[in-house]
Each structure stands twice: as structure tokens, then as C-alpha cells.
């Protein structure tokens, strides 16, 4: 399901626009987006962060690959994020995880907005938070949580997703072809919605996009 919010600038803007204009455009777009929330209903709350930064003047976001030795979802692609601790809200959890995983500290004032909650098969309600990390931020990834860190330019996020069917579900499995691999939901769904809403100005929903069976546990 999708609908237009506002027309957004083209790829040249994300490559050569000035930082204040880029930040303001993202804020305006997210303010116009009516994000949807989901009840926990026994699930655990979690938050992920789409941190907007740049490399060599081109803007994009960070994506990680989790170490194969991690207890939950080993070796899978992920946005920085994790469980919401007691006393935290979604934004606080997202920014804490960004600092713990990538060594990047961002002020609460740099939270630009949020996307739709995504309910996972493994018992989480994930809230995606969009924040401004600023141009050319240096990172210091935590090897216990990050096996590899990728920078994904905005242009690359506009890739056309693939949808496949599986016998275990009547919902389509989304696959984002990026970094020489396929990024599945929930990460792929969140990144696709970011591209649709922030880059394309379309209020695309992703709650009905399925995860692959290997991510159900």
C-alpha cells in the first residue's frame, strides 16, 4: 500500500546538496508521513536506527553484518539497534545502540523522525528511528556486535526490491539486492520503507512483507 506525500529531489541532491538542506528535507518528509505503530501484545520492544551521514560528499546510511557467533540472528544483516531497556523510549534505545555498536554519539535533538513499527516472527516489535549523524562521521565498530560495516548511498537504496513466495506464508518475502547479497526483512523492509518515504515521497507500508524462514527464530 502506498500513497504520495511530497515529491522529493533527485539523486544529485543527495550527492551534492548542502547538509542543512538535506537534513531539512528529511525532517519535512518524515513530518508528512503518518507512521503506524504496533501493540506489543507480549512481544519485546526494540529499536533500530537509520543514521544519515556522508562519505566523500555522498549521503547514505550505515548497515551492519552481525558476527556469526552471536546468540540471536548470527551472521545476518542489520541496522544498528536492539532491545529497549527499562526506562528508555524508542529514540533513546536507538541512539544508545548506535553508540554501543558503531561508536557514534548523536544528540536527541538530531532525531529526525520515525517509520512504521515492524513485528518480527522472533517476538519483537521494531521501531525504526531516523537520525542525523552529520557529514563524514568516523566510526569505531564494536567487534562483538559488528562483523562488517557498510555505507549504503541513497542512490543504492533506490534499488528495486525482489519479492518471492514461500510455502510457509501467504505474505511475500522482500529481498533488497545490496552489498552483493540479499537483505531480507525486517532490515530489508525498513530500508525499503526509508527509500520509499524519504527518497521517493511515497507512503509505502511494509508490515505485510514477510521474513525468510531462517529469520523466524
Amino acid at each position: 500500500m502506498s500513497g504520495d506525500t511530497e515529491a522529493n529531489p533527485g539523486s544529485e541532491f543527495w550527492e551534492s546538496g548542502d547538509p542543512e538542506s538535506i537534513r531539512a528535507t528529511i525532517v519535512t518528509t518524515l513530518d508528512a508521513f503518518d507512521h503506524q505503530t504496533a501493540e506489543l501484545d507480549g512481544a519485546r520492544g526494540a529499536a533500530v536506527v537509520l543514521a544519515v551521514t556522508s562519505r566523500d560528499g555522498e549521503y547514505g546510511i550505515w548497515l551492519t553484518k552481525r558476527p556469526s557467533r552471536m546468540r540471536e540472528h548470527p551472521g545476518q544483516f542489520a541496522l544498528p539497534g536492539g532491545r529497549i531497556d527499562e526506562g528508555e523510549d524508542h529514540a533513546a534505545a536507538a541512539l544508545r545502540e548506535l553508540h554501543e555498536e558503531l561508536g557514534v554519539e548523536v544528540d536527541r535533538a538530531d532525531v529526525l523522525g520515525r517509520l512504521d513499527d515492524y513485528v518480527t516472527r522472533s517476538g519483537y516489535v521494531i521501531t525504526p528511528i531516523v537520525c542525523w549523524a552529520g557529514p563524514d562521521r568516523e566510526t569505531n565498530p564494536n567487534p562483538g556486535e559488528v562483523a562488517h560495516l557498510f555505507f549504503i548511498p541513497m542512490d543504492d537504496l533506490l534499488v528495486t526490491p525482489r519479492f518471492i513466495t514461500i510455502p510457509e506464508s501467504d505474505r511475500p518475502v522482500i529481498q533488497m539486492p545490496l552489498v552483493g547479497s540479499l537483505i531480507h526483512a525486517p532490515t530489508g523492509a525498513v530500508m525499503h520503507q526509508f527509500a520509499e518515504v524519504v527518497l521517493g515521497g511515497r507512503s509505502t507500508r511494509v508490515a505485510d512483507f514477510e521474513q525468510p524462514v531462517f529469520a523466524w527464530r
Side-chain angles (χ1 to χ4, degrees):
M1 176 181 175
S2 66
D4 291 340
T5 53
E6 294 187 4
N8 275 28
S11 59
E12 296 82 4
F13 175 74
W14 304 108
E15 294 175 2
S16 58
D18 69 272
E20 288 305 314
S21 295
I22 289 173
R23 175 176 175 145
T25 296
I26 296 172
V27 170
T28 299
T29 306
L30 290 174
D31 282 349
F33 176 63
D34 185 20
H35 67 265
Q36 296 184 345
T37 61
E39 297 295 328
L40 289 180
D41 290 332
R44 292 163 289 185
V48 297
V49 60
L50 301 110
V52 179
T53 185
S54 68
R55 187 176 67 184
D56 298 326
E58 184 174 17
Y59 277 82
I61 63 171
W62 288 305
L63 173 71
T64 75
K65 189 171 186 180
R66 295 164 64 86
S68 58
R69 62 183 177 277
M70 293 193 76
R71 183 171 59 87
E72 292 191 346
H73 309 299
Q76 294 183 23
F77 293 99
L79 295 162
R83 296 184 189 184
I84 298 172
D85 289 343
E86 186 174 353
E88 288 184 323
D89 62 10
H90 307 93
L95 298 186
R96 172 180 54 77
E97 291 285 348
L98 179 64
H99 184 242
E100 291 178 0
E101 292 187 25
L102 303 188
V104 174
E105 194 162 1
V106 172
D107 292 336
R108 181 67 178 245
D110 290 319
V111 172
L112 307 183
R114 58 187 282 185
L115 298 171
D116 288 349
D117 287 352
Y118 185 92
V119 182
T120 76
R121 290 279 191 170
S122 57
Y124 288 95
V125 174
I126 297 176
T127 299
I129 300 295
V130 181
C131 79
W132 180 256
D136 302 315
R137 285 297 297 267
E138 293 186 2
T139 61
N140 183 25
N142 178 353
E145 299 193 58
V146 178
H148 194 89
L149 177 63
F150 302 90
F151 174 78
I152 312 296
M154 297 295 197
D155 250 8
D156 289 5
L157 288 170
L158 292 170
V159 66
T160 301
R162 304 176 186 178
F163 296 98
I164 64 171
T165 59
I166 57 173
E168 295 86 354
S169 176
D170 58 2
R171 299 190 297 166
V173 173
I174 184 171
Q175 300 176 328
M176 293 282 283
L178 290 166
V179 297
S181 189
L182 297 172
I183 315 299
H184 296 87
T187 302
V190 171
M191 293 173 71
H192 175 57
Q193 187 174 58
F194 177 84
E196 288 286 288
V197 173
V198 174
L199 308 183
R202 295 179 290 271
S203 295
T204 299
R205 304 297 177 183
V206 295
D208 289 332
F209 293 161
E210 182 62 273
Q211 301 172 250
V213 175
F214 68 74
W216 288 18
R217 296 174 292 277

